[in-house]
Amino acid sequence: DAGVIQSPRHEVTEMGQEVTLRCKPISGHNSLFWYRQTMMRGLELLIYFNNNVPIDDSGMPEDRFSAKMPNASFSTLKIQPSEPRDSAVYFCASVFTGTANTGELFFGEGSRLTVL
Amino acid sequence: AQSVTQPDIHITVSEGASLELRCNYSYGATPYLFWYVQSPGQGLQLLLKYFSGDTLVQGIKGFEAEFKRSQSSFNLRKPSVHWSDAAEYFCAVKSPGRRALTFGSGTRLQVQP
């Protein structure tokens, strides 16, 4: 079975450019999460969706960040304009949240973003 | 609010030695608890989880963890470490009413030959 698929795996861009990260969750999973990993702050939850609806976006750093989930099989995280402090690894994770589940998340391999 | 503390940033052990990675959580009731492993350049892989029942939980790759309510701890153990266990290990907590996991800061494990 395919896991969570993220693209691109690596992105190098210049400050001020728009960055779009993509995620395809595991088929059948109805919750999707975006996390950011940095040395200083560790793994931080940015936003999560349930049934394609954003539930908690309190972790989104500022208005430069936006996330969408137009359907159950695709999500994007956009940064516009990007800044050097956005450099991090961005992880997407998914899970099926129904009854009798313990909610462990399944992670993609991450998108490493470097903003020069 | 729930939180997770991993007091050891970096641990070095010799191959074949035993391992214990510490994790303490803060939450009013019993949360769901997880250990994940991250190899360099990779995503996070679930090692094991606890949500109820037997407080000693067995996971993949020979790892186990013990939930101790009195100490609010969920320490990860392995009796004999292999070189391939070198990675970063994350403890995570989830309250039953919440979907997202809260992660600790991670412990980087180095294995000496």
Side-chain angles (χ1 to χ4, degrees):
Chain A
D1 288 341
V4 176
I5 299 172
Q6 292 187 244
S7 64
R9 289 294 312 278
H10 302 274
E11 173 98 6
V12 180
T13 191
E14 293 187 344
M15 183 174 63
Q17 296 299 304
E18 178 179 295
V19 174
T20 299
L21 308 179
R22 297 173 177 80
C23 175
K24 176 178 170 55
I26 293 173
S27 178
H29 284 188
N30 61 345
S31 290
L32 181 142
F33 304 77
W34 283 100
Y35 281 85
R36 179 172 68 175
Q37 185 180 36
T38 61
M39 290 290 292
M40 292 298 296
R41 301 173 68 91
L43 276 158
E44 305 173 277
L45 177 68
L46 298 178
I47 185 171
Y48 78 89
F49 297 82
N50 189 54
N51 294 325
N52 312 338
V53 176
I55 302 300
D56 181 358
D57 64 355
S58 59
M60 295 286 263
E62 48 197 273
D63 292 346
R64 297 185 297 106
F65 285 69
S66 63
K68 294 182 179 180
M69 191 165 187
N71 57 63
S73 59
F74 184 65
S75 177
T76 59
L77 178 67
K78 186 175 293 187
I79 309 172
Q80 167 63 17
S82 58
E83 297 182 2
R85 60 192 167 124
D86 302 331
S87 297
V89 181
Y90 292 81
F91 285 102
C92 178
S94 70
V95 65
F96 172 71
T97 54
T99 57
N101 77 84
T102 54
E104 68 266 28
L105 304 187
F106 295 80
F107 282 81
E109 294 191 324
S111 294
R112 180 176 295 276
L113 173 65
T114 302
V115 183
L116 303 175
Chain B
Q2 59 195 27
S3 67
V4 182
T5 301
Q6 293 181 248
D8 304 307
I9 297 173
H10 186 216
I11 284 182
T12 300
V13 300
S14 298
E15 191 168 16
S18 63
L19 171 70
E20 182 168 27
L21 302 183
R22 296 182 291 166
C23 172
N24 292 94
Y25 67 90
S26 173
Y27 180 66
T30 300
Y32 297 163
L33 295 159
F34 308 84
W35 275 100
Y36 281 83
V37 61
Q38 183 182 28
S39 298
Q42 300 297 311
L44 281 74
Q45 180 184 20
L46 180 71
L47 284 175
L48 48 76
K49 62 186 178 187
Y50 171 82
F51 56 98
S52 68
D54 192 345
T55 57
L56 184 62
V57 180
Q58 301 298 318
I60 62 171
K61 305 185 180 187
F63 285 91
E64 66 178 25
E66 185 172 13
F67 168 61
K68 293 186 177 180
R69 184 190 308 274
S70 61
Q71 299 178 17
S72 296
S73 70
F74 189 56
N75 293 350
L76 182 71
R77 301 194 295 246
K78 186 169 185 178
S80 177
V81 171
H82 188 263
W83 64 266
S84 60
D85 294 325
E88 187 145 21
Y89 292 80
F90 292 92
C91 182
V93 62
K94 184 181 94 71
S95 61
R98 194 166 183 265
R99 292 185 177 90
L101 302 188
T102 299
F103 286 87
S105 55
T107 298
R108 181 166 297 279
L109 173 66
Q110 185 173 355
V111 180
Q112 288 182 334

